[in-house]
Structures are given as structure tokens and as C-alpha cells.
Amino acid sequence: MHAPVFAAEQNPAPENALVYFIWPADGAVITGGKFWVRMGLRNMGVAPKGVDMKNVGHHHLVVDADLPPSTEPIPSDRNHLHFGAGETEARIELPPGKHTLQLLLGDKEHVPHNPPVHSKKITITVK
């Protein structure tokens, strides 16, 4: 018998909230596997995980995957990178090839807001 699974409570987000890539740009070609990802956010604030304030969250980078369900905590694995200290930039490393990147804002418990605040999915190539 399995324990029931309950959806996490979602914090509201302003309708005009926007998370976006400052760098890299869609279609960027990156030489070498290490590069900086710079993350922007409008009409909300960035705060470390655990901070319980209205209209704040922290960045998550979804790599080579679709967005996770918006009613559950964002996974933490090689496809879902957490920046729970409130980082707005991070140095990451990816193997050669084409990759998709997408930003998703999570609340104090790593749950997407309602409505979810995410960037468009971009594609980069690592050489």
C-alpha cells in the first residue's frame, strides 16, 4: 500500500513576473564545456531557499529536459540544477553537443509558483 501523494502548496506569482537568460543567448556556440549562465528576473525578487516572503524565489536550470510538474518540488539531479543560495549566475559544464536550457523559479521549498515563472527554452551548442 502506498502513502497518498499530496500536491505541494504553490505560492502565487505576479502575472507580469519574467525570468530570462542574460547569457547565453539562444543559438550560442560555446567552445569548451565550462561557461557562465547569467539569470535575470523581473517583477519578483531573488532569495535563498527557505526564505518565506511574498513574490520571491530562487533559480533552477532545467538542462536537456522538459519542465517538471508545476505542483511538485523541482527535482535535484543532473537535469535540474538548483541555485538555492540565491545565485543569479553560475558556472556550469556540459559535454559537447546540442543542449536545451530553461530557467524555472522555485519558492522556499523548490516548488514552482502559480502561475509558474519560467523562461523560454533555448538551445546552445558546446564544441
Side-chain angles (χ1 to χ4, degrees):
M1 183 171 190
H2 295 296
V5 176
F6 297 100
E9 185 175 334
Q10 291 179 273
N11 284 312
E15 291 289 335
N16 62 352
L18 176 67
V19 64
Y20 57 94
F21 288 99
I22 296 170
W23 203 90
D26 192 20
V29 176
I30 296 163
T31 302
K34 292 182 182 176
F35 61 97
W36 284 95
V37 174
R38 292 189 168 87
M39 303 164 270
L41 180 63
R42 282 193 200 132
N43 301 315
M44 286 185 76
V46 175
K49 66 182 179 187
V51 172
D52 189 9
M53 290 175 60
K54 185 177 179 180
N55 296 332
V56 300
H58 62 277
H59 293 287
H60 298 81
L61 179 62
V62 180
V63 180
D64 297 330
D66 291 326
L67 291 174
S70 64
T71 57
E72 299 173 13
I74 300 163
S76 181
D77 57 32
R78 66 184 184 88
N79 298 102
H80 303 87
L81 307 180
H82 288 236
F83 301 105
E87 299 97 316
T88 57
E89 62 181 22
R91 190 159 170 84
I92 68 168
E93 184 171 7
L94 293 174
K98 279 194 181 283
H99 298 281
T100 61
L101 304 176
Q102 191 167 19
L103 294 170
L104 176 60
L105 203 67
D107 70 6
K108 66 185 185 328
E109 302 292 333
H110 306 285
V111 176
H113 295 78
N114 185 15
V117 180
H118 60 82
S119 70
K120 73 174 199 157
K121 187 182 280 190
I122 67 169
T123 302
I124 64 166
T125 302
V126 175
K127 292 195 171 206

